[in-house]
Amino acid sequence: EMKSEEEKLKSLQSKIGLLNKIKKKFEKRIEKVKAIGELMKESRKLQKEIKDGASQLEEDKENANAAVMTADHIKGQIDEIKSKLFELHCQWDQKRENANKLVNEAMKKKMEMMHVGAQEKAQVEHNEMLYKTRKHELELAKKAHAQKMQQWKLSYSELLKTVRRYHVYLREKISVSPN
């Protein structure tokens, strides 16, 4: 009977050994399943980050496109100001020519009147007054033109600064974006 009990004990011990081996295999499988679960969680996190990154990239692309359109608009304004400055310069040249003609005419009349008798001396004085008046008007026109030119130059300078800032901004945006 003792032998039978010993055999039963050995049989039970071998079964327990087998059960322990099976338990270890299942524990290893459970660990693998847990690791796979963690990897899947990380994968979902990475997919969400990729999706968020793609959305941010699209938004940055839209912002860059808007900035480019704004820069193009400002360039158009600069070209318009250049054109107006050129027109003002042409007008100024024409006014200067006209004033010079008037001054020359007045000088000629003055020279002619110097040879005229006493009765015409009053006319000479009148012409001198016209000459001084026209000369004064020319000086006023010069000052007004200089002020206008200064205002246009300041506007043009400010627009150039804005365009340069936009270009820097665009370069920064483009260098941040992988595209």
Side-chain angles (χ1 to χ4, degrees):
E1 242 179 77
M2 238 358 201
K3 281 188 181 181
S4 139
E5 289 293 323
E6 281 180 19
E7 285 176 16
K8 284 182 185 176
L9 186 60
K10 282 184 183 178
S11 172
L12 283 173
Q13 284 175 342
S14 78
K15 286 180 182 175
I16 288 173
L18 274 173
L19 286 173
N20 281 339
K21 285 182 182 176
I22 292 171
K23 179 183 172 189
K24 285 181 183 178
K25 284 183 180 178
F26 276 112
E27 285 174 349
K28 285 181 182 177
R29 285 185 183 168
I30 289 172
E31 289 299 318
K32 287 179 181 177
V33 168
K34 285 181 181 177
I36 289 171
E38 288 298 317
L39 287 173
M40 289 178 72
K41 283 182 186 176
E42 284 297 316
S43 173
R44 284 191 290 273
K45 283 182 186 176
L46 287 173
Q47 285 175 347
K48 185 182 182 313
E49 288 178 14
I50 288 170
K51 185 180 177 184
D52 291 347
S55 297
Q56 183 63 41
L57 182 64
E58 188 62 33
E59 185 179 325
D60 289 346
K61 184 179 174 183
E62 289 172 8
N63 288 342
N65 286 339
V68 166
M69 288 190 326
T70 303
D72 287 344
H73 176 69
I74 290 172
K75 185 184 179 301
Q77 288 179 332
I78 288 172
D79 291 343
E80 210 175 289
I81 287 174
K82 282 181 180 178
S83 173
K84 286 181 182 177
L85 283 172
F86 180 74
E87 285 177 30
L88 282 173
H89 187 71
C90 290
Q91 288 174 3
W92 165 246
D93 284 345
Q94 186 61 41
K95 285 181 181 178
R96 188 180 66 220
E97 278 182 39
N98 291 342
N100 284 338
K101 284 179 185 176
L102 290 174
V103 167
N104 288 339
E105 286 175 18
M107 288 300 286
K108 283 180 186 177
K109 286 184 181 180
K110 179 181 175 184
M111 296 305 272
E112 289 171 4
M113 290 299 170
M114 291 176 96
H115 297 92
V116 175
Q119 182 184 12
E120 294 178 353
K121 190 174 182 179
Q123 184 65 36
V124 170
E125 290 172 0
H126 175 71
N127 285 342
E128 286 178 346
M129 276 303 270
L130 279 178
Y131 168 75
K132 289 177 183 176
T133 303
R134 288 183 180 158
K135 186 175 179 182
H136 179 69
E137 288 172 353
L138 175 63
E139 289 172 2
L140 290 178
K142 281 182 184 178
K143 287 179 185 176
H145 176 72
Q147 287 174 344
K148 280 185 183 178
M149 291 296 285
Q150 187 63 29
Q151 288 171 349
W152 280 107
K153 285 178 184 175
L154 287 175
S155 296
Y156 179 74
S157 174
E158 287 301 315
L159 277 172
L160 276 179
K161 287 178 187 175
T162 304
V163 166
R164 287 185 185 122
R165 280 187 251 130
Y166 264 100
H167 282 283
V168 169
Y169 170 78
L170 285 176
R171 278 193 223 113
E172 288 174 359
K173 277 297 189 178
I174 289 171
S175 69
V176 169
S177 169
N179 291 340

